[in-house]
Amino acid sequence: MKTLASALFGRRARRRWIHLILGGALAMPYVFVGSVIVGPLLGEDNVFGSLTAQLGAFAAGLPLAAITALFPLTRPMSVAAVRALCDVPGDALADGPARSRQARGRTVAWFTLHLGFGGIISGMSLALPPFAAVLIALPFTAVLRGSRIGMPEVFGEGWMLALCPVIGVLSLAALAGCAAVAGGLLARWAPDLLGPSPADRLAAAEQRAADLAVRNRLARELHDSVGHALSAVTLQASAARRVLDRDPEFVREALAAIEETTRRTVGELDAVLGVLREGGDGQASPTAPAPTLSADLDGLLKRTRAGGLRVKATVELGPGGPDALPPMVSREAYRIVQESLSNALRHAGPDAPVTLRIALDGADLEILAENPLPLGAPASRPGGGHGLRGITDRARLLGGTVRTGPADGVWRVSVRLPLKGPAEGTRTTTDPKGPVHP
């Protein structure tokens, strides 16, 4: 009995009942239009005074509702109502307007069913409770028995008066049962009629892929900028501590480099976090533009050298210099150089010589970074590393090639980036012993 009561009057049943009443409310404008059509056909001046005319107006209004269900906003509105009131899992329903003819057809079927069931249950909800209340009160109220209020004469019989409360209660139970059944059917059909179509699934997959690409790019930006800054600041502070008593000038330079490095990194971090907060497309904030080879290479080399790394840089970019590089190539090349120097800072240690060459080679930009392998260090470490994977991802973005690994006693990072955009296929090669810096 408790289970039956919960099924008829529980929270879920009540919410689905409200959903049906909402369908009935949406059906009313179509019923009014249907009454204009049906009234003259049946010769009724007052359509709502005749049950037959009311049913005819309702039947004439449903096709009109089906036509208006073709509007794009119908499915988002219906999905929102189902999620809020019908206890249907959200992932079983589609988001956004219907994109295919099949999905639009299912939306039309749902909208028509919702308004059809909702109109019937709404009508019953308006008529049956007053009728049931009168029946329940009839045996105990002399005024009602005297007025008869349009009831058949049989309701004046004693045996019928005794049955009136039972009939009234059964009428209310029947109303609750009809509402529960109709709400359950709509909830069961909702995933089939409002669920994602193949086009919706494809669009959702494309959106997830785009979001993942943005997240991966932001993760690379954070790794490259913050990782390089932490490595540089750590070595700069360590070098300053070692010569604190005997070389105050070097300490001042190191502290100045630390200040500049942290200030710049905070600006880059704010830009990336701003994109995350705004849910943007991965573009840097205008107030903190992404660093580029043309504008920021000198500062990067200065900060790296302040950390103790001896960088010998050769830049051969023709008459236009770094300013002549395409913006995207300049930006990604800066990050590649930054990560190469970060690897040297982390793995080769302070005072290690690093040779950096940035040059034009035909239609490509060539970046070559070499630093000595530490004595006794393995040639590679299995499993890969985020930094070198970031270099590979950036090169792949531009259709470039990457070679990383030990060669002739040094660790070498060799990158070629086409200046005219991605090629047909991106080639990424690494040393067979592994791409991770020792």
Side-chain angles (χ1 to χ4, degrees):
M1 182 62 69
K2 184 177 180 180
T3 303
L4 178 61
S6 176
L8 294 179
F9 302 104
R11 180 176 180 272
R12 183 171 66 177
R14 294 196 304 270
R15 290 166 65 89
R16 290 178 176 175
W17 201 335
I18 293 173
H19 181 253
L20 289 166
I21 297 298
L22 176 62
L26 292 174
M28 287 306 298
Y30 304 102
V31 173
F32 285 128
V33 175
S35 67
V36 175
I37 299 173
V38 171
L41 295 177
L42 298 180
E44 294 282 352
D45 295 332
N46 182 12
V47 173
F48 296 100
S50 166
L51 178 61
T52 302
Q54 290 180 36
L55 293 176
F58 182 67
L62 286 181
L64 301 176
I67 295 174
T68 59
L70 294 172
F71 286 101
L73 290 179
T74 301
R75 189 170 75 169
M77 179 192 71
S78 300
V79 166
V82 170
R83 281 177 173 159
L85 298 172
C86 289
D87 197 27
V88 176
D91 56 0
L93 304 174
D95 292 312
R99 294 178 172 84
S100 64
R101 180 178 301 177
Q102 183 183 19
R104 287 192 291 270
R106 292 202 304 266
T107 302
V108 168
W110 166 265
F111 193 69
T112 306
L113 286 170
H114 182 204
L115 269 61
F117 282 7
I120 294 172
I121 298 299
S122 296
M124 293 174 64
S125 299
L126 289 173
L128 281 180
F131 175 69
V134 169
L135 290 180
I136 293 172
L138 189 61
F140 313 103
T141 308
V143 174
L144 292 178
R145 291 197 304 272
S147 65
R148 302 288 294 275
I149 56 174
M151 290 184 176
E153 293 184 1
V154 68
F155 281 91
E157 301 292 337
W159 61 272
M160 178 58 72
L161 287 176
L163 289 177
C164 279
V166 178
I167 297 173
V169 172
L170 290 178
S171 299
L172 294 177
L175 171 60
C178 291
V181 171
L185 288 175
L186 287 180
R188 182 177 180 180
W189 293 335
D192 295 329
L193 298 179
L194 297 178
S197 65
D200 296 321
R201 294 189 179 94
L202 179 60
E206 291 175 346
Q207 183 60 46
R208 286 193 298 270
D211 292 342
L212 182 60
V214 171
R215 292 170 66 89
N216 286 338
R217 178 178 175 184
L218 294 177
R220 287 197 305 269
E221 294 290 334
L222 285 174
H223 174 274
D224 291 350
S225 61
V226 177
H228 174 80
L230 291 177
S231 298
V233 166
T234 300
L235 290 177
Q236 289 161 354
S238 176
R241 180 180 55 82
R242 289 197 303 268
V243 299
L244 181 61
D245 296 328
R246 63 178 183 274
D247 194 349
E249 183 62 29
F250 178 83
V251 174
R252 281 194 292 271
E253 292 178 0
L255 292 176
I258 290 173
E259 181 183 4
E260 181 183 355
T261 300
T262 54
R263 182 185 298 114
R264 181 176 188 84
T265 304
V266 167
E268 295 179 12
L269 183 61
D270 285 342
V272 175
L273 294 180
V275 174
L276 286 174
R277 284 191 296 267
E278 296 169 7
D281 57 359
Q283 299 297 323
S285 169
T287 60
T292 61
L293 205 63
S294 59
D296 302 281
L297 178 61
D298 292 340
L300 174 63
L301 295 176
K302 180 182 177 181
R303 293 189 297 272
T304 304
R305 288 165 178 153
L309 205 63
R310 293 180 285 134
V311 183
K312 179 183 179 182
T314 303
V315 180
E316 300 174 354
L317 297 178
D323 294 334
L325 296 175
M328 189 173 186
V329 173
S330 182
R331 184 180 68 238
E332 301 301 330
Y334 174 89
R335 291 302 192 191
I336 290 172
V337 171
Q338 183 184 53
E339 184 55 38
S340 300
L341 296 178
S342 296
N343 279 339
L345 279 170
R346 283 192 295 266
H347 302 295
D351 301 325
V354 177
T355 301
L356 175 66
R357 183 173 183 270
I358 305 172
L360 291 178
D361 184 7
D364 294 341
L365 175 68
E366 182 182 31
I367 301 172
L368 180 65
E370 296 178 342
N371 60 267
L373 290 169
L375 294 177
S380 64
R381 297 176 184 175
H386 294 294
L388 293 177
R389 283 203 294 269
I391 290 177
T392 301
D393 290 341
R394 292 181 185 280
R396 182 182 293 116
L397 178 67
L398 298 177
T401 62
V402 179
R403 292 184 62 88
T404 61
D408 302 326
V410 299
W411 180 266
R412 178 177 297 160
V413 176
S414 178
V415 181
R416 295 180 69 90
L417 303 176
L419 301 179
K420 295 184 179 180
E424 289 295 325
T426 301
R427 294 164 285 125
T428 303
T429 57
T430 60
D431 185 87
K433 294 181 180 179
V436 182
H437 197 290

